[in-house]
Amino acid sequence: MTSYDIVIVGGGPAGLAAAVAARDAGVESILIIERDKELGGILNQCIHNGFGLHTFKEELTGPEYAYRFEEQVLQRKIEYKLDTMVMDISHDKVVTAMNRTDGMFQIRAGAVILAMGCRERPRGALNIPGYRPAGIYSAGTAQRLVNIEGYMPGKEVVILGSGDIGLIMARRMTLEGAKVKVVAELMPFSGGLKRNIVQCLDDYGIPLKLSHTVVDIEGKERVKAVTIAEVGPDMKPIAGTEVRYTCDTLLLSTGLIPENELSRGCGVEMNPVTSGPFVNERLETSIPGVFACGNVLHVHDLVDFVSEEAARAGANAARYVQEGEGAGEAGEEVRLVATDGARYTVPSTIHVNRMDDLLTVRFRVGAVFKDSYVSVYLDDERVQHMKKRIMAPGEMEQVILQKKQLAARPGLKTVTIKIEAQ
C-alpha cells in the first residue's frame, strides 16, 4: 500500500486550489485523484465567461480559469491520477480506488480532502407525469453535448427550473440556433444569479414563468410537446392555467446535489439542509483529518468562492499533517445557528482558539428578502446588523467573524445568524 500525506478526491476547481494551497504550506506528498480524463472538472464545459473576477481580477471562461490552476499544479509538480475512480474511503483514511492501468489499489492518507463537487437532480426525483421519450436532458448534460461533444440536443426547447446552468443553456441554445420557448420555475423566485436572468433570458426575450411547473410530457419516441401550469402556495398545479408548448427537447435545471456517497460511506456526519458534511472552522468534518470544500460541502454560486474555500481546506489539511490531530488547543466549541430566514452556515461549529483572525461564514437564505438586515448574535447580544437591499436563495451571503471579538467572551455557546426586518 502506498502512502501520501494528503489525498484529494476530485480534480476540479476545489481539488486543484486545495492541492496548490497544501503544497505552498509545505506538504510535498500530495495526490489528486480525478475520475475524468483531464483535470478541471465541470469548468471544462463552461465555455461562457464570468469566472475569475475575484480570484484573478479579470473575466475568464471556465476552461481558462481551470487552466490557471492546472498550471500552478504542474509548476509545483503535484502528482495526480486521471481516469481513476475512488471506490471507498475508510474511517482511518485508507482510500480504495481503481483504474485501467493499476486495477484496484489502496492508498494510506495522512489527511483526505473531499472535493467531489455536485451532480444535477435527475428527472426521477421530480415526479413529472407523462411519457419517458427521448429529448429530456439535464441542463449540464446538454451543456456537455453542445460545448464538448459538438451535438445539438434539439431545436425547440422548454426548460424546467431556473438554476444557473439552465439559464446559461437558454442563451447557449439560442446562440446555436434553437428556439427556447419558455423557462418554467416551480418556486416564486429564480434559483439562479440575477445577472444570469438578465444576460441569458431578458437579453434574448425568453420568458421566465415563476410558480409554474411541467404537468405533462407528450411523445413516445421523442418529446412532441410539454404542458406547464401555474402552481399555488401548496405547490400543486392550478386547474385551468395549463399552457401547451410544442417542442422536441426538455432541459431540466432543478437543482444541484453535493456528491457525498463517499463521505457517507466514510462515516462523516452530514448536514440535512446542504446535503454536505458538517465542518468546523478548519473545514474539517466530524472525522479528524478528513476535510471538505467546494460544492461537495455546499453548492456555491461563484467558482471564485470555491477556490477561496478550498485554499483554506488545503492549508488546514497541511497543518493537520504537520502538527498532528491535537494541533492547537481546541478550547470550547461554539455552535453556529442559522434561523429566521438563514438556512444554514458553513462552518457549523467554531473553536475560537484555532480560528484565524477573521473567519468568513457563508450561508443562503430560504426566500427573497427585500430591505432586510443580516444580524449576528453572540449568545443573546447582537453584534452585527447589516442592511441588505435584496437577498435571494440563488446567491450566497456571508458575514465576517473576528477572533478577538469572540475570544473576549469566555463561555460563549452560540453564534446566531438571522434575517431581521428592522
Side-chain angles (χ1 to χ4, degrees):
M1 188 186 299
T2 55
S3 296
Y4 285 86
D5 285 341
I6 297 176
V7 172
I8 300 170
V9 185
L16 296 174
V20 169
R23 171 55 59 86
D24 289 349
V27 175
E28 295 291 320
S29 174
I30 301 170
L31 177 67
I32 303 170
I33 302 178
E34 169 57 46
R35 67 184 178 187
D36 209 347
K37 60 181 182 292
E38 55 198 2
L39 295 172
I42 200 67
L43 289 178
N44 292 320
Q45 69 185 51
C46 299
I47 65 172
H48 53 281
N49 58 6
F51 301 92
L53 288 169
H54 294 262
T55 306
F56 298 109
K57 306 298 185 247
E58 59 180 307
E59 200 170 38
L60 305 171
T61 66
E64 287 172 335
Y65 187 95
Y67 180 68
R68 296 280 178 98
F69 276 98
E70 288 168 39
E71 275 194 313
Q72 293 180 40
V73 165
L74 295 174
Q75 287 165 2
R76 289 162 176 77
K77 296 182 171 56
I78 297 170
E79 289 185 56
Y80 58 89
K81 284 183 178 290
L82 303 177
D83 272 326
T84 302
M85 179 71 79
V86 174
M87 311 303 292
D88 181 64
I89 303 169
S90 72
H91 200 275
D92 56 352
K93 300 187 283 294
V94 173
V95 179
T96 303
M98 66 185 299
N99 60 32
R100 292 180 179 180
T101 306
D102 306 313
M104 188 169 285
F105 58 95
Q106 290 188 313
I107 301 166
R108 183 171 298 283
V112 173
I113 299 177
L114 305 173
M116 293 88 74
C118 58
R119 66 175 188 269
E120 295 178 279
R121 184 173 282 111
R123 176 187 171 170
L126 304 178
N127 296 321
I128 303 172
Y131 290 108
R132 290 177 166 271
I136 303 175
Y137 302 90
S138 69
T141 300
Q143 187 180 55
R144 184 177 182 90
L145 286 171
V146 174
N147 293 348
I148 293 184
E149 311 291 346
Y151 296 110
M152 270 295 280
K155 287 294 185 183
E156 291 187 299
V157 184
V158 171
I159 299 178
L160 174 61
S162 60
D164 287 313
I165 307 172
L167 299 174
I168 287 162
M169 282 311 294
R171 176 178 63 185
R172 189 79 182 99
M173 296 291 281
T174 301
L175 292 173
E176 289 294 334
K179 172 66 176 173
V180 179
K181 296 195 167 182
V182 68
V183 176
E185 168 58 57
L186 176 68
M187 304 303 288
F189 48 81
S190 170
L193 295 170
K194 178 66 176 176
R195 75 179 191 201
N196 283 335
I197 296 171
V198 173
Q199 295 173 2
C200 301
L201 299 188
D202 297 351
D203 287 357
Y204 294 90
I206 299 169
L208 171 62
K209 295 201 170 187
L210 301 175
S211 298
H212 280 72
T213 193
V214 171
V215 295
D216 189 31
I217 297 172
E218 298 174 36
K220 289 192 176 181
E221 299 300 318
R222 175 92 193 189
V223 176
K224 290 183 178 177
V226 167
T227 302
I228 70 170
E230 189 176 350
V231 299
D234 59 357
M235 298 297 165
K236 292 183 178 177
I238 300 170
T241 63
E242 297 88 353
V243 179
R244 181 177 179 272
Y245 294 88
T246 57
C247 62
D248 60 12
T249 305
L250 173 65
L251 300 188
L252 305 177
S253 178
T254 51
L256 300 169
I257 305 168
E259 188 77 82
N260 270 302
E261 279 70 17
L262 287 172
S263 313
R264 292 188 189 91
C266 183
V268 166
E269 189 179 345
M270 306 298 291
N271 184 334
V273 178
T274 62
S275 298
F278 283 111
V279 292
N280 62 21
E281 75 290 342
R282 292 182 168 183
L283 300 176
E284 188 176 26
T285 68
S286 58
I287 299 177
V290 177
F291 299 79
C293 57
N295 284 350
V296 80
L297 179 55
H298 60 133
V299 177
H300 291 62
D301 53 356
L302 295 179
V303 72
D304 301 76
F305 296 153
V306 168
S307 301
E308 178 188 315
E309 184 178 271
R312 277 173 52 205
N316 286 322
R319 188 183 309 169
Y320 176 89
V321 168
Q322 292 159 342
E323 300 178 12
E325 184 177 331
E329 184 60 39
E332 289 294 312
E333 183 177 82
V334 178
R335 273 192 325 120
L336 275 80
V337 178
T339 186
D340 294 350
R343 295 187 64 231
Y344 67 87
T345 65
V346 172
S348 51
T349 58
I350 297 173
H351 297 90
V352 178
N353 290 357
R354 296 193 316 200
M355 68 183 275
D356 295 330
D357 292 338
L358 297 176
L359 178 68
T360 301
V361 178
R362 294 204 164 98
F363 65 96
R364 285 183 189 263
V365 294
V368 175
F369 293 91
K370 295 182 179 179
D371 295 320
S372 299
Y373 293 83
V374 174
S375 298
V376 178
Y377 288 78
L378 301 185
D379 287 334
D380 295 324
E381 183 184 348
R382 189 167 72 188
V383 294
Q384 292 188 41
H385 193 54
M386 297 164 289
K387 179 78 177 282
K388 301 285 285 188
R389 194 179 68 80
I390 188 163
M391 290 179 283
E395 306 194 19
M396 280 202 318
E397 304 292 337
Q398 68 179 42
V399 296
I400 308 293
L401 299 182
Q402 296 181 355
K403 180 176 183 175
K404 65 180 181 182
Q405 191 175 35
L406 273 60
R409 296 170 179 269
L412 177 66
K413 293 285 187 262
T414 59
V415 176
T416 303
I417 296 175
K418 62 172 69 174
I419 311 304
E420 295 182 318
Q422 58 183 15

